[in-house]
Amino acid sequence: MGSNIKDIKKDINKLASKVVKSDCRAKNKAVAKIKTESRRIIQSKYNIKAKDVSKTIKIKRASYSNPESSMTFKSHATPIIAPMLKTTKIMSGSRKKRGAYREQKIKVHIKKGSLKNLSGGRYKPFLMRVGGSKLIVARRVSEKRYSTSQVRTVPVAKMADNKDVSKHILKIGSETYDKEFKRLMELSNV
């Protein structure tokens, strides 16, 4: 009877270490999959580069000593880039005047399938070339001569907070964790 109990304890210890290892590995796989899927779904809904999304995502991997894993988004807004822009120029003033200046109306594709007009506010945005070729959207901050700042889009963290995006991300994460945990528990040498 005593040797039976020792064998059972040995089996329980092996099973416990196998569960911890499987849990840790499954969490890490799920977090990696969530990062990839969140980048994909954010790009499908918003007009943003993959590298801009990836830069804002930070992953904390699980370890055997600390079995918690997480994914966080750094909340900083990305600048408006050239593919997002759609500008129209409208004549202002009388046509008879020489050199009547043209006012720019800047529209932006932040969310795919919709346009946002940026020409509101006290200081109107304008297009500006930086470094010879890079085109940015800038806006005056005050009435001083060189006080401009770059106009930015919605932060990636807010894009991921969209109800459809977060629901899809959580669904993918739980499915991946369940499938990977079952697979690892069936293996004999984890």
Side-chain angles (χ1 to χ4, degrees), residues 45 109-115:
K45 295 204 179 277
H109 292 277
I110 294 172
K111 198 167 186 181
K112 289 190 177 178
S114 66
L115 282 170

Side-chain angles (χ1 to χ4, degrees), residues 9 23 80 82-83 99 106 108 111 125 147 150 153 161 168 174 189:
K9 282 184 180 180
D23 179 55
I80 292 176
I106 300 172
V108 180
K111 198 167 186 181
S147 61
Q150 190 171 7
T153 66
D161 198 29
H168 180 74
S174 65
N189 57 350

Side-chain angles (χ1 to χ4, degrees), residues 5-142:
I5 292 175
K6 287 179 184 177
D7 291 340
I8 291 171
K9 282 184 180 180
K10 204 182 280 184
D11 288 343
I12 289 174
N13 288 339
K14 282 183 185 177
L15 185 62
S17 68
K18 186 176 181 179
V19 168
V20 169
K21 287 180 182 180
S22 298
D23 179 55
C24 180
R25 290 177 185 178
K27 282 180 183 176
N28 289 337
K29 179 99 173 192
V31 169
K33 180 84 171 183
I34 288 172
K35 180 180 179 182
T36 305
E37 281 299 315
S38 61
R39 184 186 52 77
R40 280 187 191 147
I41 195 163
I42 287 171
Q43 273 193 286
S44 71
K45 295 204 179 277
Y46 295 92
N47 195 4
I48 189 168
K49 289 181 181 178
K51 70 176 186 176
D52 289 337
V53 177
S54 295
K55 279 193 288 187
T56 62
I57 299 173
K58 184 181 177 188
I59 289 180
K60 181 186 169 222
R61 295 176 56 88
S63 64
Y64 300 140
S65 60
N66 185 9
E68 290 187 21
S69 64
S70 64
M71 184 178 81
T72 56
F73 290 91
K74 289 187 269 179
S75 187
H76 74 277
T78 54
I80 292 176
I81 55 174
M84 292 181 181
L85 294 174
K86 181 181 180 186
T87 59
T88 55
K89 291 190 176 186
I90 297 174
M91 202 62 164
S92 67
S94 169
R95 286 180 177 235
K96 294 178 184 174
K97 285 184 185 176
R98 276 193 179 176
Y101 94 35
R102 295 177 168 254
E103 181 181 317
Q104 289 183 330
K105 290 226 175 201
I106 300 172
K107 293 186 178 182
V108 180
H109 292 277
I110 294 172
K111 198 167 186 181
K112 289 190 177 178
S114 66
L115 282 170
K116 183 179 179 186
N117 194 356
L118 290 181
S119 52
R122 181 175 177 191
Y123 299 108
K124 296 192 180 349
F126 55 91
L127 296 176
M128 184 167 77
R129 290 225 178 263
V130 179
S133 63
K134 187 178 177 186
L135 186 68
I136 66 166
V137 178
R139 177 177 274 162
R140 288 206 178 278
V141 180
S142 68

Side-chain angles (χ1 to χ4, degrees), residues 140-157:
R140 288 206 178 278
V141 180
S142 68
E143 293 184 16
K144 293 180 181 173
R145 186 169 180 189
Y146 295 111
S147 61
T148 59
S149 71
Q150 190 171 7
V151 179
R152 297 180 174 270
T153 66
V154 179
V156 176

